[in-house]
PDB file of all heavy atoms in Angstrom:
ATOM      1  N   PHE A  29       2.946   9.675  13.937  1.00 86.00           N
ATOM      2  CA  PHE A  29       3.926  10.008  14.975  1.00 86.00           C
ATOM      3  C   PHE A  29       3.189  10.549  16.226  1.00 86.00           C
ATOM      4  O   PHE A  29       3.495  10.135  17.338  1.00 86.00           O
ATOM      5  CB  PHE A  29       4.890  11.049  14.445  1.00 86.00           C
ATOM      6  CG  PHE A  29       5.857  11.539  15.554  1.00 86.00           C
ATOM      7  CD1 PHE A  29       6.932  10.741  15.923  1.00 86.00           C
ATOM      8  CD2 PHE A  29       5.658  12.742  16.165  1.00 86.00           C
ATOM      9  CE1 PHE A  29       7.771  11.177  16.947  1.00 86.00           C
ATOM     10  CE2 PHE A  29       6.524  13.167  17.157  1.00 86.00           C
ATOM     11  CZ  PHE A  29       7.588  12.377  17.539  1.00 86.00           C
ATOM     12  N   GLN A  30       2.219  11.414  16.050  1.00 86.00           N
ATOM     13  CA  GLN A  30       1.481  11.980  17.167  1.00 86.00           C
ATOM     14  C   GLN A  30       0.718  10.914  17.929  1.00 86.00           C
ATOM     15  O   GLN A  30       0.712  10.937  19.170  1.00 86.00           O
ATOM     16  CB  GLN A  30       0.582  13.132  16.730  1.00 86.00           C
ATOM     17  CG  GLN A  30       1.322  14.389  16.330  1.00 86.00           C
ATOM     18  CD  GLN A  30       0.450  15.453  15.807  1.00 86.00           C
ATOM     19  OE1 GLN A  30      -0.702  15.231  15.388  1.00 86.00           O
ATOM     20  NE2 GLN A  30       0.946  16.675  15.814  1.00 86.00           N
ATOM     21  N   LEU A  31       0.106  10.016  17.211  1.00 87.00           N
ATOM     22  CA  LEU A  31      -0.580   8.881  17.890  1.00 87.00           C
ATOM     23  C   LEU A  31       0.396   8.029  18.662  1.00 87.00           C
ATOM     24  O   LEU A  31       0.121   7.634  19.832  1.00 87.00           O
ATOM     25  CB  LEU A  31      -1.395   8.074  16.877  1.00 87.00           C
ATOM     26  CG  LEU A  31      -2.142   6.887  17.433  1.00 87.00           C
ATOM     27  CD1 LEU A  31      -3.224   7.378  18.430  1.00 87.00           C
ATOM     28  CD2 LEU A  31      -2.792   6.090  16.341  1.00 87.00           C
ATOM     29  N   ALA A  32       1.533   7.714  18.068  1.00 89.00           N
ATOM     30  CA  ALA A  32       2.549   6.910  18.690  1.00 89.00           C
ATOM     31  C   ALA A  32       3.076   7.648  20.029  1.00 89.00           C
ATOM     32  O   ALA A  32       3.281   6.983  21.040  1.00 89.00           O
ATOM     33  CB  ALA A  32       3.730   6.613  17.815  1.00 89.00           C
ATOM     34  N   MET A  33       3.174   8.938  19.957  1.00 90.00           N
ATOM     35  CA  MET A  33       3.635   9.692  21.134  1.00 90.00           C
ATOM     36  C   MET A  33       2.571   9.646  22.226  1.00 90.00           C
ATOM     37  O   MET A  33       2.914   9.626  23.438  1.00 90.00           O
ATOM     38  CB  MET A  33       3.991  11.111  20.757  1.00 90.00           C
ATOM     39  CG  MET A  33       5.305  11.250  20.003  1.00 90.00           C
ATOM     40  SD  MET A  33       6.701  10.476  20.814  1.00 90.00           S
ATOM     41  CE  MET A  33       6.813  11.381  22.345  1.00 90.00           C
ATOM     42  N   LEU A  34       1.274   9.660  21.851  1.00 91.00           N
ATOM     43  CA  LEU A  34       0.260   9.567  22.880  1.00 91.00           C
ATOM     44  C   LEU A  34       0.377   8.239  23.609  1.00 91.00           C
ATOM     45  O   LEU A  34       0.296   8.215  24.849  1.00 91.00           O
ATOM     46  CB  LEU A  34      -1.104   9.671  22.206  1.00 91.00           C
ATOM     47  CG  LEU A  34      -1.565  11.030  21.737  1.00 91.00           C
ATOM     48  CD1 LEU A  34      -2.939  10.940  21.018  1.00 91.00           C
ATOM     49  CD2 LEU A  34      -1.621  12.036  22.887  1.00 91.00           C
ATOM     50  N   TRP A  35       0.569   7.184  22.857  1.00 92.00           N
ATOM     51  CA  TRP A  35       0.712   5.849  23.469  1.00 92.00           C
ATOM     52  C   TRP A  35       1.973   5.782  24.296  1.00 92.00           C
ATOM     53  O   TRP A  35       1.925   5.299  25.445  1.00 92.00           O
ATOM     54  CB  TRP A  35       0.729   4.767  22.371  1.00 92.00           C
ATOM     55  CG  TRP A  35      -0.654   4.436  21.917  1.00 92.00           C
ATOM     56  CD1 TRP A  35      -1.316   5.042  20.923  1.00 92.00           C
ATOM     57  CD2 TRP A  35      -1.477   3.364  22.407  1.00 92.00           C
ATOM     58  NE1 TRP A  35      -2.557   4.440  20.777  1.00 92.00           N
ATOM     59  CE2 TRP A  35      -2.667   3.422  21.672  1.00 92.00           C
ATOM     60  CE3 TRP A  35      -1.331   2.408  23.391  1.00 92.00           C
ATOM     61  CZ2 TRP A  35      -3.726   2.547  21.894  1.00 92.00           C
ATOM     62  CZ3 TRP A  35      -2.355   1.517  23.609  1.00 92.00           C
ATOM     63  CH2 TRP A  35      -3.558   1.589  22.872  1.00 92.00           C
ATOM     64  N   GLU A  36       3.103   6.211  23.752  1.00 93.00           N
ATOM     65  CA  GLU A  36       4.365   6.162  24.447  1.00 93.00           C
ATOM     66  C   GLU A  36       4.331   6.932  25.756  1.00 93.00           C
ATOM     67  O   GLU A  36       4.708   6.428  26.845  1.00 93.00           O
ATOM     68  CB  GLU A  36       5.500   6.651  23.616  1.00 93.00           C
ATOM     69  CG  GLU A  36       6.856   6.569  24.304  1.00 93.00           C
ATOM     70  CD  GLU A  36       8.020   7.006  23.419  1.00 93.00           C
ATOM     71  OE1 GLU A  36       8.139   6.496  22.327  1.00 93.00           O
ATOM     72  OE2 GLU A  36       8.736   7.912  23.884  1.00 93.00           O
ATOM     73  N   ARG A  37       3.933   8.168  25.684  1.00 93.00           N
ATOM     74  CA  ARG A  37       3.902   9.038  26.902  1.00 93.00           C
ATOM     75  C   ARG A  37       2.972   8.496  27.942  1.00 93.00           C
ATOM     76  O   ARG A  37       3.233   8.535  29.152  1.00 93.00           O
ATOM     77  CB  ARG A  37       3.483  10.479  26.540  1.00 93.00           C
ATOM     78  CG  ARG A  37       4.629  11.235  26.024  1.00 93.00           C
ATOM     79  CD  ARG A  37       4.370  12.750  26.068  1.00 93.00           C
ATOM     80  NE  ARG A  37       5.500  13.382  25.486  1.00 93.00           N
ATOM     81  CZ  ARG A  37       5.439  14.261  24.424  1.00 93.00           C
ATOM     82  NH1 ARG A  37       4.253  14.554  23.943  1.00 93.00           N
ATOM     83  NH2 ARG A  37       6.523  14.754  23.967  1.00 93.00           N
ATOM     84  N   SER A  38       1.849   8.002  27.494  1.00 93.00           N
ATOM     85  CA  SER A  38       0.848   7.492  28.475  1.00 93.00           C
ATOM     86  C   SER A  38       1.292   6.270  29.157  1.00 93.00           C
ATOM     87  O   SER A  38       0.920   6.043  30.324  1.00 93.00           O
ATOM     88  CB  SER A  38      -0.491   7.211  27.709  1.00 93.00           C
ATOM     89  OG  SER A  38      -0.975   8.422  27.184  1.00 93.00           O
ATOM     90  N   LEU A  39       2.012   5.403  28.493  1.00 95.00           N
ATOM     91  CA  LEU A  39       2.287   4.031  28.986  1.00 95.00           C
ATOM     92  C   LEU A  39       3.722   3.752  29.329  1.00 95.00           C
ATOM     93  O   LEU A  39       4.036   2.681  29.869  1.00 95.00           O
ATOM     94  CB  LEU A  39       1.803   2.994  28.004  1.00 95.00           C
ATOM     95  CG  LEU A  39       0.333   3.122  27.544  1.00 95.00           C
ATOM     96  CD1 LEU A  39       0.000   2.068  26.501  1.00 95.00           C
ATOM     97  CD2 LEU A  39      -0.601   3.088  28.678  1.00 95.00           C
TER      98      LEU A  39
END
Side-chain angles (χ1 to χ4, degrees):
F29 176 77
Q30 288 176 340
L31 181 61
M33 286 307 298
L34 288 176
W35 279 86
E36 180 179 305
R37 279 198 183 124
S38 297
L39 306 178

